[in-house]
Amino acid sequence: MTHDTAPTAVSYPVHVVAMGVSGCGKSTVGEALARRLGVPFEDGDDLHPPANVEKMRAGTPLDDDDRWPWLAAVGDWLAGTGEAGGVVACSALKRSYRDVLREHAPSAVFVHLHGDRDLIARRQAARGQHFMPPGLLESQFATLEPLAGDEPGVVLDVVLGVDELVDAAYAALTTDAATGGTPEETS
């Protein structure tokens, strides 16, 4: 099934963060989900300051001091979508990072794209020109804190195709499943 049909709007503002480690498909799924919801999309990578991009390009993982201003910018973008809502792709690897996003956009809901390290490593290596080198993937997995039970969102297995992931995310967002607490896992 494709999602190139007219978007179906949900009945409340949707502020979605497509999250996960580098190479999990945040941008691809996030953009497709935004089209399905009929809301704007932003790739959080485009909000990194140049110093962060250069640091990652050089193979150096970001530290929290690098991330705080970037996370604020991501949260500001999401909050700035107002009543229309929006979808942003952002790694949001730690709960403290997600807390910053929720400080800016309290209604944020997370779509955690989760998957096997080997699968994600193969996908990351295949994408070519991205500034995040495959060597930093291990640091991303080491940093990752899965969604906690009190965080609004859904966990989706990236073994699914893009259309299936969008369908599952959309279903979660248009029911109470993603907005009330315990993250659901869909595979």
Side-chain angles (χ1 to χ4, degrees):
M1 178 201 300
T2 62
H3 299 294
D4 294 328
T5 59
T8 304
V10 294
S11 60
Y12 56 91
V14 177
H15 297 103
V16 180
V17 179
M19 64 164 282
V21 298
S22 178
C24 71
K26 296 180 296 288
S27 299
T28 301
V29 172
E31 188 170 16
L33 180 59
R35 276 194 311 272
R36 176 90 181 264
L37 292 167
V39 299
F41 171 77
E42 179 66 46
D43 191 325
D45 284 347
D46 295 338
L47 300 173
H48 270 294
N52 283 9
V53 173
E54 289 309 311
K55 192 171 184 179
M56 288 183 282
R57 211 174 250 141
T60 304
L62 299 179
D63 60 28
D64 285 350
D65 289 336
D66 298 319
R67 288 188 182 101
W68 299 130
W70 169 66
L71 290 164
V74 171
D76 285 345
W77 181 88
L78 196 58
T81 64
E83 291 297 314
V87 177
V88 66
C90 174
S91 53
L93 298 176
K94 288 184 181 179
R95 179 175 184 133
S96 59
Y97 304 164
R98 297 186 295 271
D99 289 345
V100 169
L101 297 174
R102 281 191 299 268
E103 285 173 16
H104 292 262
S107 64
V109 177
F110 298 89
V111 174
H112 179 185
L113 301 174
H114 177 71
D116 175 75
R117 281 186 171 141
D118 291 336
L119 172 62
I120 292 174
R122 285 192 306 273
R123 289 180 178 180
Q124 188 183 44
R127 68 183 183 177
Q129 294 295 327
H130 194 272
F131 60 78
M132 173 74 86
L136 290 182
L137 182 59
E138 197 56 42
S139 73
Q140 294 237 313
F141 272 107
T143 302
L144 178 64
E145 295 173 1
L147 288 176
D150 63 338
E151 292 184 279
V154 62
V155 178
L156 303 176
D157 190 328
V158 299
V159 73
L160 299 173
V162 173
D163 290 338
E164 294 169 299
L165 289 166
V166 170
D167 287 344
Y170 183 82
L173 293 168
T174 56
T175 66
D176 292 333
T179 59
T182 306
E184 297 182 0
E185 183 145 358
T186 303
S187 55

